[in-house]
Amino acid sequence: MVDVAAPAPSRAARAAFGLNAGVAWLGLVLTLVISGAGGYAESVPPRGLYGLHPDGAAGVVSRLADTLSYFTIWSNVVVAVSATLLVLRPTRTGLLERVIRLDALLMITVTAIVYQVLLAPTADVVGWSRLTDPILHVVTPALTVLVWLVAGPRGWVTGRLVPFALVVPLAWVAWMLGRGAVVGAYPYDFTNVVALGYGSVATTLVLILVFGLVVASVLWGVDALLTRRSRRRG
């Protein structure tokens, strides 16, 4: 697929993309700054989970490395990059832009659903997490989907593009498992190889990836519907 120029979005659409990007970057920057400074409340984690760090400045690198290894952070980064590209390069419609946009929608949707279903019921949200958790898991996901529904871009999701939506999630799985094998710790209970073993973790991850394909297919269907409506209005 060759990059081609598309009609420039309206001023309102670009403002919506800018708001989306700004909120996503805000959540990320706040999280990294607080994490690096050791501002989050820490307790001894269960065996095999992130959370053990040296005190003070000695723990900056390990705290940031853990933070940057969460799927939530990867999702918010992809959203921030996608929305920023739509502000800076709004007329580019190449494969890279389309894949990043679909990945952003898919990953942030899965982040919100997995958080609410698997993590929120047992999460102990205290201290600075009361500020950053809602931005990362609720505000940015909701805003991203809303902006996409209202401002598009339309016609970017196709059936041939759906499998590409798993490129970044698979990269995260490889990074998370590879790093975990080295440091002996993992980000989530359902990815805790130390406690569950590779078989159980692999099964859960495959189910989540399949669910991701279902979400991507739903996004494709919604985009096709909205594209037809937009063309009829035009």
Side-chain angles (χ1 to χ4, degrees), residues 120 122-126 129:
T122 59
D124 185 17
V125 182
V126 297
S129 293

Side-chain angles (χ1 to χ4, degrees), residues 60-73:
V60 170
V61 173
S62 65
R63 285 194 296 270
L64 289 177
D66 278 3
T67 299
L68 290 169
S69 297
Y70 282 98
F71 186 80
T72 294
I73 298 299

Side-chain angles (χ1 to χ4, degrees), residues 8-202:
S10 67
R11 183 176 300 178
R14 292 189 71 175
F17 299 145
L19 175 63
N20 196 180
V23 171
W25 285 122
L26 174 64
L28 288 166
V29 170
L30 285 174
T31 300
L32 292 174
V33 169
I34 294 169
S35 177
Y40 288 114
E42 293 188 355
S43 59
V44 178
R47 182 170 172 265
L49 291 183
Y50 291 165
L52 287 179
H53 311 289
D55 294 332
V60 170
V61 173
S62 65
R63 285 194 296 270
L64 289 177
D66 278 3
T67 299
L68 290 169
S69 297
Y70 282 98
F71 186 80
T72 294
I73 298 299
W74 281 50
S75 300
N76 279 263
V77 167
V78 176
V79 167
V81 171
S82 170
T84 300
L85 287 175
L86 287 170
V87 173
L88 300 180
R89 301 174 55 184
T91 62
R92 304 304 299 177
T93 64
L95 178 62
L96 177 63
E97 289 81 8
R98 291 177 182 235
V99 169
I100 291 176
R101 186 61 173 163
L102 179 56
D103 268 341
L105 291 163
L106 166 64
M107 292 173 68
I108 206 66
T109 299
V110 171
T111 289
I113 293 173
V114 170
Y115 178 77
Q116 294 298 332
V117 173
L118 297 180
L119 303 176
T122 59
D124 185 17
V125 182
V126 297
W128 286 107
S129 293
R130 292 175 177 171
L131 171 64
T132 55
D133 268 27
I135 298 175
L136 297 173
H137 297 108
V138 180
V139 178
T140 295
L143 182 60
T144 301
V145 174
L146 177 61
V147 167
W148 175 68
L149 289 173
V150 174
R154 296 275 74 85
W156 277 31
V157 185
T158 64
R160 293 173 61 185
L161 200 67
V162 167
F164 285 97
L166 295 185
V167 170
V168 179
L170 285 171
W172 173 78
V173 168
W175 165 258
M176 179 269 298
L177 292 178
R179 179 172 183 264
V182 174
V183 303
Y186 300 84
Y188 308 108
D189 288 330
F190 60 86
T191 63
N192 189 345
V193 172
V194 175
L196 303 176
Y198 279 106
S200 177
V201 169

